[in-house]
Amino acid sequence: MTLDAIDKKLLFLLQSDSKKTTKELSLKLNLSVTAVYERIKKLEREGIIDKYVVLVNRSKVEKGFVVFCHLKLIQHTKEFLTKFESEVVKLKEVLECHHVSGDYDYILKIVVKDMEAYREFLVTKLTTLQHIGSTHSTFMISEVKNTTVVDI
């Protein structure tokens, strides 16, 4: 699907605030409500709009301690990778898990209440997963930029 300028602006508006009504969007895009609705449905059907979510203020729910954990597996066999990935997705503290190149195999973004909670998570959950060779934790000091808006 080829996106035109209106689709791109619509996607920007929805990424900025998905609770805007089709009426509000139609005024910003200078289109009818029906035309906006049809464009949104087309973007959903094509899988360009994947889902709608609510972003939670982590510090308000005692999950303001952010850790980036670099992780190495003991071997890089398909079996070890598959097993690790199937287990790590079950950990609710892990917001993101990326298989990466370089010195480490995975980078995890983990949110917990504080350092004590991270230690508990590390000892009782993460390091109990099979095939982990080593971990290296980096703690967030401050968040300079965090956006979910993809520039199209």
Side-chain angles (χ1 to χ4, degrees):
M1 176 181 167
T2 304
L3 300 175
D4 64 17
I6 295 171
D7 289 327
K8 291 176 182 181
K9 187 170 182 184
L10 174 58
L11 286 168
F12 173 79
L13 293 169
L14 287 170
Q15 287 182 93
S16 301
D17 181 1
S18 66
K19 286 193 74 170
K20 288 209 180 304
T21 64
T22 50
K23 174 79 173 160
E24 291 171 308
L25 293 167
S26 72
L27 294 172
K28 291 193 179 285
L29 296 169
N30 206 20
L31 292 174
S32 71
V33 171
T34 303
V36 170
Y37 176 81
E38 291 301 323
R39 280 179 181 264
I40 291 171
K41 288 299 166 198
K42 180 177 72 171
L43 292 167
E44 290 171 347
R45 271 193 315 276
E46 294 293 325
I48 293 169
I49 294 177
D50 193 27
K51 61 183 167 184
Y52 298 89
V53 299
V54 171
L55 300 176
V56 174
N57 181 328
R58 291 185 311 269
S59 60
K60 300 266 185 184
V61 294
E62 296 189 332
K63 299 291 183 188
F65 193 75
V66 179
V67 182
F68 296 96
C69 183
H70 298 71
L71 194 136
K72 284 185 190 179
L73 298 183
I74 56 174
Q75 287 185 15
H76 299 103
T77 64
K78 184 177 181 182
E79 175 193 344
F80 283 19
L81 296 173
T82 304
K83 179 69 173 160
F84 170 76
E85 290 175 5
S86 70
E87 293 298 317
V88 78
V89 297
K90 297 174 188 172
L91 301 174
K92 62 181 176 41
E93 295 87 352
V94 177
L95 294 188
E96 299 175 25
C97 175
H98 303 276
H99 189 186
V100 297
S101 64
D103 292 338
Y104 293 94
D105 299 316
Y106 291 91
I107 299 175
L108 311 180
K109 182 178 181 181
I110 300 162
V111 296
V112 290
K113 180 180 179 180
D114 52 24
M115 180 64 83
E116 185 178 322
Y118 180 63
R119 182 183 185 286
E120 180 70 15
F121 166 77
L122 194 62
V123 171
T124 64
K125 292 184 180 180
L126 187 60
T127 57
T128 64
L129 299 183
Q130 294 181 4
H131 315 306
I132 293 179
S134 66
T135 63
H136 175 86
S137 300
T138 304
F139 307 101
M140 182 180 76
I141 295 171
S142 69
E143 192 168 77
V144 177
K145 180 178 180 179
N146 180 351
T147 184
T148 59
V149 177
V150 176
D151 185 35
I152 304 163

